[in-house]
Amino acid sequence: MTKIRTTHVGSLPRTPQLLEANAQRAAGTISDEKFNEILTDAVDQVIKRQHQIGLDIINEGEYGHITRSGVDYGSWWAYSFTRFSGLEIIDPSSPKSVGDWDPNKPVRSEPGKIRLTSFGDRRDWTKFHDVYTDHEHGVYLGKKSQQFPTVTGELKYIGQDAVAKDIELLLKGLEDNGIARENGFIAAVSPGSAARVPNLYYADDDAHLQAWATALREEYRAITDAGLTVQIDAPDFAEAWDQINPEPTVADYRAWLRKRLEAVNYALEGINPDQVRFHLCWGSWHGPHTTDIAFKEIVDIALEVNARYLTFEAANVRHEHEWTVWQDVKLPDDRVILPGVVSHATNVVEHPELVAQRIRRFTDLVGRERVIASTDCGLGGRIHPSLAWAKLESLAQGAALV
């Protein structure tokens, strides 16, 4: 009988020592030598722990994606701010304008022309304003750890040393634990998600998106040239729906989404799809999510990405019911799904029997060999470290029951 393989989405809890080292590095109070010593030790330990739990496809915890806070929903994207030229932090009081993109002012879409709003103008956040502004009993989104940059020049990849370090540490950890390199992955932001920063340089949104696709290609290739899998983090595919006001038609949104599809496939040209996994989600913050788009409206477009593996949320209570999508959508013969069967959105640790039941829903529909059990989203920065590791243990135990 085919073993149910296991993995996770990427981000894992940082150790207190690594969080402190990240803060010191940002402040310029730690030497490169000392920082690399702490980072190397942390990556060694996180790889070893994944292996001991019994996970099959693992990564370096995204420890090279700098975060300075125990609660951080944005390091999957913010890491890119230091890996590209052409980006500039603009003081809000500066006479420089960022066009009609302002984090404190709504941006309205026009019929047939979708525009992303400011980050504080999500429809879910507006609908439940009382919840999101009650920091004691409501939703805590964490401290703002990094400002959004603006594109003020030509985008070029300058993260060669950083991605090389990610690769080096992961390969070392895989080798030390006797794990084949094809079972290692590194996450990288999608062009559509990266292009959510304001733009003052490129002529229009399409040119801006294309520039990101061109620049990100170098990071994707560095990872796959090393024999590893690249995970494209693309919450823009689903999460962006809630970031458009007024709510667009599904047809208009799908047309807008196809441009993101074209951008990611352009960035993946020349890369073997067997080395690519594509992750979509509805945003990992712990909110109501009542304004999320239905999976059935976008799953066909996600399957057009040149990636063998599709990862998606399937355990949180807002989207768990959508496993039934696969009753109607035929999974292409060359694709494998990585449904989330434990969630970052609750402190309750899923029972292994429940995990097994969730896995069986998918294996019964598409076959055991085409399902890899995973998490909804990254667990690092989104849930207490002890709970994150307990959930990964339950994931492995549940898969073993199937």
Side-chain angles (χ1 to χ4, degrees), residues 4-47:
I4 299 298
R5 292 178 294 164
T6 55
T7 187
H8 60 91
V9 167
S11 182
L12 293 174
R14 277 64 165 174
T15 63
Q17 294 81 7
L18 183 57
L19 287 173
E20 177 62 24
N22 286 337
Q24 290 175 349
R25 191 182 195 194
T29 58
I30 190 172
S31 68
D32 289 344
E33 181 181 6
K34 183 61 177 178
F35 177 81
N36 285 327
E37 177 185 324
I38 294 171
L39 176 62
T40 299
D41 180 65
V43 172
D44 284 345
Q45 294 303 312
V46 80
I47 292 174

Side-chain angles (χ1 to χ4, degrees), residues 25 35-36 39 60 63-66 79-80 82-84 157-170 186-187 219 222-223:
R25 191 182 195 194
F35 177 81
N36 285 327
L39 176 62
E60 81 308 355
Y63 283 8
H65 294 184
I66 303 301
Y79 87 92
S80 66
T82 60
R83 296 195 185 187
F84 296 87
Y157 191 69
I158 57 172
Q160 290 86 355
D161 291 345
V163 73
K165 189 67 176 179
D166 294 339
I167 293 167
E168 173 194 335
L169 292 179
L170 178 55
I186 291 178
E219 180 157 278
I223 294 166

Side-chain angles (χ1 to χ4, degrees), residues 123 235-242 247-251 253-254 257 280-282 289-299 318-319 321-322:
R123 295 195 303 279
D236 56 298
F237 259 61
E239 178 192 357
W241 167 264
D242 184 50
E247 181 178 312
T249 65
V250 171
Y253 185 75
R254 284 172 57 84
L257 205 56
L280 66 81
C281 72
W282 287 264
H289 286 274
T290 60
T291 53
D292 288 357
I293 192 169
F295 192 27
K296 66 181 180 181
E297 304 291 2
I298 60 175
V299 63
R318 194 66 198 179
H319 293 281
H321 69 285
E322 294 184 301

